[in-house]
Amino acid sequence: MMSLRNIVLLLLSITVVAPIVLYTDRLSTFNSPSTKQEFIEDVTAFSLSATDSEHLNLLPQETSNVPKEPVRFVYTEGSTNTKNLPRGLRLGESREHAFARVLYTTTEEDQAQRDNPIKQVIDGIRHEKQGGGILEKGESASENVSGEDAIDANDNDGKLTKSDQVSDQESPIKATKQEQPAVETSSNVNEKGPILSNNQNEQMPSDASVHRLKDQLIQAKVYLSLPAIKAIPHLTRELRLRVKEVTRTLGDASNDSELPRNANERVNAMEQSLLKGKQIQDDCAAFVKKLRAMIHSTEEQLRAHKKQTLLLTQLTAKTLPRGLHCLPLRLTTEYYYSNSSQKRFLNQEKLEDPRLYHYAIFSDNILATAVVVNSVTANAGDASKHVFHIVTDKLNHVAMRMWFLVNPPGKATIQVQNIEDFTWLNSSYSPVLKQLNSPDMIDYYFKAHRASSDSNLKYRNPKYLSILNHLRFYLPEIFPKLNKVLFLDDDIVVQKDLTGLWSVDLKGNVNGAVETCGESFHRFDRYLNFSNPLIAKNFDPRACGWAYGMNIFDLVEWKRQNITEVYHNWQNLNHDRTLWKLGTLPPGLITFWKRTFPLNRSWHTLGLGYNPNVSQKDIHRAAVIHYNGNLKPWLEISIPRFRSYWTKYVNYDHVYLRECNINP
């Protein structure tokens, strides 16, 4: 019995003493310097891999805060409550996403000397951002993070996901089962967050290298002009060589895809040469002074080129191309040789029939007038009901008649009149005719020394000397038996049937036109001189302007309201050109003030003679497109993308056009 009791006591002693011995031996193992240091290094490496990599340069280089006794890993998500932790334990600051935290203890001596390296990084970031950043709401005073910090943290955490995984593989520490879910949560958050560096690459402009090469050219030219660089012949030769190379590389390239393959080599070579220049000439003041001089010189050249461009554009708009000058000469010669003076246009009985659709075209441009007539008849439902009244000057009357005798517009009716036959139109009746023939007006146009008196050259176009331009104000006198007339400029193209305009109710107004007040420069204050009391008293500067070019006129209301007399009164008041500049739109705005009915915008689209950005949608839906401006479709300076709408109504195979070498 005694032996059995002894055996039981021995087993109980072993059961009690064995755990104590084993635990004591484990503690002695951790007290080994080599084992302890190895464990600390692994923990520190793992901790650093979960921190913002771009801020690691803030860590002190001499020493690091070494944790004394690692306790355990804690995995958190969102914010962490630190109140329940044992005293002496410090938890790293929380991020917006979940990741592993390392809890460790430090001696009081080390804590007094220096914080742990992770906290130094975070404190450094906070100190850097709090200078100008705006602290986010809802965070404690010790854990404020600026908006920029939040973005940067998400960005870099997304970049460091793979490095975290590598650190986990290399570390000898085996994480608990909670580790993988925490890391996966962090990865998922990072994948959702934007990565700024990738967005920046995607948003890189397509001409970045082109701009860099151009900047290098400017820098090289500045260096070549500085005395310090000129004193070094070999550097001067090198910079000149680089300038030639970069200039050839750039060529006419407008984006990086057009640069040759060796563009990067040229950039690097130029960069090296510029660095040499910078080492020699480090005086920024001289460099800035030269750049300012270059900018001033460039601005002066730009102003001179703009002025020259405007002058040449106006000159081109005033002149007639050789082919269009040849055409009336050829037609006039043919008219007299073929005895065409005895020929008459058909259907002359329709000229005064108010039941038909009558068009008024006042022009000395034969080909442009032909396009207007051809486009109207091509889109008309019944061409036999359309009558064209063309008025031209004495010089082109015969040629205009010959053209339409040889090229009759199908079943439509044509009338060609000479303005010289309007005997009632004289200087005693028309104030504008008296003004146009005055020596002062002729001096205004043709005396070179007066050219600087008016900055806007478009008002100095001699076309305003032609009474054809003002004939639109005398429609009742020209067509005394008609009720309605559709006025068309010679720089328009008709794309749809216009007969619907005759059925539009103008509601007692005289003029039906499309308003053009979509832009500020199409309002009254851009055409009239509102500094004059007479203009300021009678008109609204913000009133909406309208367009000439396609206007339906009610001649019955015109006569009833005595519109021609209104026009004459205002022309007499503007004898010294103080109310408005020359032209027909300003007096038209005044004459038809509160007498204009706004038509739907789809009837008339303008701008094809000056605005290359007119939308294709507006062009296709428009019944009439208007090449108002200097870039007329029959000139070489016309806008290419709009030219085809005009040329489709010209038969370039016509014998007269071939003889005059008129091509599309």
Side-chain angles (χ1 to χ4, degrees):
M1 182 64 67
M2 284 294 295
S3 61
L4 181 60
R5 180 182 297 176
N6 291 336
I7 292 173
V8 172
L9 290 175
L10 178 61
L11 292 174
L12 289 174
S13 300
I14 294 174
T15 304
V16 172
V17 174
I20 298 175
V21 173
L22 292 174
Y23 182 75
T24 303
D25 181 68
R26 182 180 179 184
L27 289 178
S28 64
T29 303
F30 273 103
N31 288 331
S32 173
S34 60
T35 305
K36 180 179 180 181
Q37 184 64 28
E38 181 181 356
F39 180 81
I40 291 173
E41 289 175 358
D42 291 337
V43 172
T44 303
F46 180 84
S47 302
L48 290 178
S49 67
T51 309
D52 196 332
S53 64
E54 72 178 55
H55 299 121
L56 288 180
N57 57 349
L58 299 177
L59 292 173
Q61 302 298 323
E62 294 84 359
T63 59
S64 61
N65 184 30
V66 180
K68 295 298 181 182
E69 291 185 9
V71 180
R72 66 186 179 274
F73 289 94
V74 178
Y75 298 90
T76 65
E77 181 171 352
S79 60
T80 303
N81 186 5
T82 60
K83 292 182 180 180
N84 298 326
L85 294 177
R87 184 177 182 180
L89 298 182
R90 303 188 72 255
L91 181 63
E93 286 193 39
S94 63
R95 292 280 184 174
E96 291 182 3
H97 56 280
F99 62 92
R101 319 285 181 117
V102 180
L103 302 183
Y104 52 87
T105 60
T106 58
T107 64
E108 294 181 359
E109 180 181 0
D110 291 340
Q111 178 64 29
Q113 291 178 355
R114 183 178 289 106
D115 290 331
N116 70 79
I118 300 176
K119 187 176 186 304
Q120 287 183 9
V121 173
I122 299 174
D123 289 343
I125 300 172
R126 186 190 307 120
H127 178 72
E128 177 183 354
K129 298 297 182 181
Q130 282 180 347
I134 300 176
L135 300 180
E136 293 182 352
K137 296 180 181 180
E139 295 186 356
S140 63
S142 62
E143 293 183 313
N144 284 332
V145 180
S146 70
E148 293 179 358
D149 276 347
I151 296 174
D152 292 341
N154 290 336
D155 174 27
N156 289 286
D157 288 337
K159 297 176 186 176
L160 294 175
T161 303
K162 292 184 178 181
S163 63
D164 291 343
Q165 296 173 356
V166 173
S167 299
D168 292 341
Q169 294 174 359
E170 294 178 353
S171 174
I173 301 174
K174 294 183 179 179
T176 61
K177 293 181 180 179
Q178 296 176 352
E179 179 176 356
Q180 286 183 348
V183 174
E184 290 175 1
T185 303
S186 175
S187 176
N188 293 336
V189 173
N190 293 335
E191 289 177 5
K192 295 179 181 178
I195 299 178
L196 296 182
S197 61
N198 291 345
N199 289 343
Q200 291 173 354
N201 291 336
E202 293 176 0
Q203 296 175 1
M204 184 69 67
S206 60
D207 57 352
S209 297
V210 172
H211 281 294
R212 185 179 180 187
L213 286 168
K214 291 180 178 179
D215 291 342
Q216 287 182 334
L217 273 179
I218 295 174
Q219 294 180 50
K221 291 177 180 179
V222 172
Y223 278 129
L224 285 171
S225 65
L226 299 177
I229 303 298
K230 290 181 179 179
I232 307 176
H234 69 88
L235 182 56
T236 302
R237 288 193 298 269
E238 181 179 344
L239 284 173
R240 287 176 178 170
L241 176 62
R242 298 290 178 249
V243 168
K244 291 180 180 179
E245 292 175 349
V246 171
T247 302
R248 286 196 298 267
T249 301
L250 273 174
D252 297 327
S254 58
N255 55 63
D256 296 351
S257 61
E258 299 175 2
L259 294 174
R261 296 180 179 179
N262 63 346
N264 288 332
E265 298 177 6
R266 301 300 189 195
V267 169
N268 296 332
M270 176 64 88
E271 196 66 35
Q272 295 299 323
S273 300
L274 291 176
L275 287 175
K276 296 178 184 178
K278 184 177 181 181
Q279 293 172 357
I280 297 172
Q281 177 65 47
D282 57 354
D283 184 7
C284 293
F287 200 90
V288 170
K289 183 178 180 181
K290 182 61 180 177
L291 282 176
R292 286 177 177 172
M294 292 176 65
I295 292 174
H296 178 74
S297 176
T298 303
E299 289 176 347
E300 290 295 328
Q301 293 178 15
L302 179 61
R303 279 192 289 268
H305 286 309
K306 282 185 176 180
K307 187 174 181 180
Q308 185 180 24
T309 300
L310 178 61
L311 178 62
L312 293 175
T313 302
Q314 294 292 338
L315 181 61
T316 304
K318 296 174 187 178
T319 57
L320 194 65
R322 183 174 61 180
L324 296 184
H325 181 69
C326 164
L327 183 61
L329 297 177
R330 181 70 182 85
L331 289 169
T332 302
T333 303
E334 186 66 22
Y335 182 83
Y336 288 111
Y337 269 112
S338 62
N339 197 25
S340 297
S341 59
Q342 304 301 320
K343 295 181 180 180
R344 295 290 183 267
F345 291 107
L346 301 177
N347 305 319
Q348 294 298 291
E349 68 279 1
K350 296 181 178 180
L351 296 179
E352 296 180 348
D353 188 348
R355 297 170 299 177
L356 303 179
Y357 307 111
H358 295 265
Y359 301 84
I361 306 172
F362 308 141
S363 173
D364 58 358
N365 190 323
I366 297 171
L367 197 60
T369 304
V371 168
V372 175
V373 174
N374 292 342
S375 62
V376 171
T377 55
N379 294 280
D382 184 0
S384 64
K385 295 182 180 181
H386 294 260
V387 182
F388 297 92
H389 303 270
I390 302 170
V391 181
T392 187
D393 56 12
K394 182 179 180 180
L395 184 64
N396 295 281
H397 176 247
V398 170
M400 190 77 74
R401 279 183 58 87
M402 183 63 187
W403 176 268
F404 286 104
L405 285 171
V406 176
N407 305 283
K411 297 180 180 180
T413 302
I414 285 286
Q415 180 188 29
V416 178
Q417 295 177 277
N418 183 359
I419 194 173
E420 299 292 335
D421 295 335
F422 299 155
T423 56
W424 50 267
L425 187 62
N426 50 59
S427 58
S428 61
Y429 175 69
S430 172
V432 68
L433 188 60
K434 182 178 180 179
Q435 294 171 13
L436 292 175
N437 293 331
S438 67
D440 180 64
M441 188 71 70
I442 296 174
D443 179 73
Y444 176 80
Y445 280 114
F446 295 106
K447 296 295 184 181
H449 67 275
R450 293 288 299 278
S452 60
S453 63
D454 193 346
S455 59
N456 198 334
L457 294 176
K458 77 176 183 179
Y459 294 118
R460 306 183 63 80
N461 195 328
K463 75 177 182 178
Y464 296 122
L465 283 174
S466 173
I467 190 60
L468 282 174
N469 208 41
H470 298 267
L471 206 57
R472 65 194 69 187
F473 294 102
Y474 298 99
L475 293 178
E477 288 82 355
I478 301 173
F479 312 112
K481 296 184 179 181
L482 300 181
N483 297 331
K484 281 189 176 182
V485 169
L486 183 63
F487 170 78
L488 297 177
D489 268 340
D490 63 0
D491 56 352
I492 63 101
V493 171
V494 177
Q495 301 186 124
K496 297 179 181 179
D497 190 358
L498 300 181
T499 55
L501 287 170
W502 274 263
S503 61
V504 173
D505 182 8
L506 299 182
K507 301 184 183 303
N509 292 289
V510 178
N511 174 29
V514 171
E515 293 183 334
T516 57
C517 54
E519 303 292 341
S520 60
F521 57 83
H522 285 145
R523 298 188 182 272
F524 271 44
D525 59 349
R526 299 298 294 177
Y527 301 101
L528 306 178
N529 179 18
F530 277 87
S531 63
N532 188 292
L534 190 60
I535 295 294
K537 178 182 178 181
N538 290 280
F539 305 101
D540 179 9
R542 302 303 298 162
C544 187
W546 45 267
Y548 264 130
M550 189 215 69
N551 307 79
I552 185 72
F553 288 106
D554 187 336
L555 301 186
V556 176
E557 282 294 325
W558 185 308
K559 296 172 186 176
R560 189 181 70 81
Q561 300 183 32
N562 200 11
I563 297 299
T564 303
E565 188 62 27
V566 174
Y567 169 69
H568 284 171
N569 290 337
W570 282 104
Q571 281 290 355
N572 286 325
L573 293 172
N574 192 47
H575 63 91
D576 54 356
R577 298 187 303 277
T578 58
L579 303 184
W580 68 84
K581 297 294 183 180
L582 296 176
T584 55
L585 183 55
L589 296 175
I590 291 177
T591 302
F592 298 105
W593 168 248
K594 295 185 178 180
R595 301 180 179 93
T596 299
F597 178 79
L599 298 175
N600 189 289
R601 294 178 64 89
S602 63
W603 281 111
H604 190 187
T605 292
L606 297 97
L608 279 71
Y610 70 90
N611 181 14
N613 298 318
V614 178
S615 69
Q616 295 292 331
K617 180 181 178 180
D618 290 340
I619 293 175
H620 290 157
R621 74 175 183 178
V624 172
I625 55 176
H626 195 171
Y627 293 83
N628 57 312
N630 288 322
L631 310 180
K632 302 299 184 185
W634 54 83
L635 299 176
E636 292 184 2
I637 61 173
S638 62
I639 301 174
R641 61 189 293 252
F642 301 147
R643 186 174 170 82
S644 61
Y645 298 108
W646 189 84
T647 57
K648 67 185 291 187
Y649 294 105
V650 180
N651 180 16
Y652 288 98
D653 293 329
H654 195 285
V655 58
Y656 294 142
L657 299 188
R658 291 203 309 269
E659 289 177 357
C660 291
N661 197 27
I662 299 177
N663 300 310

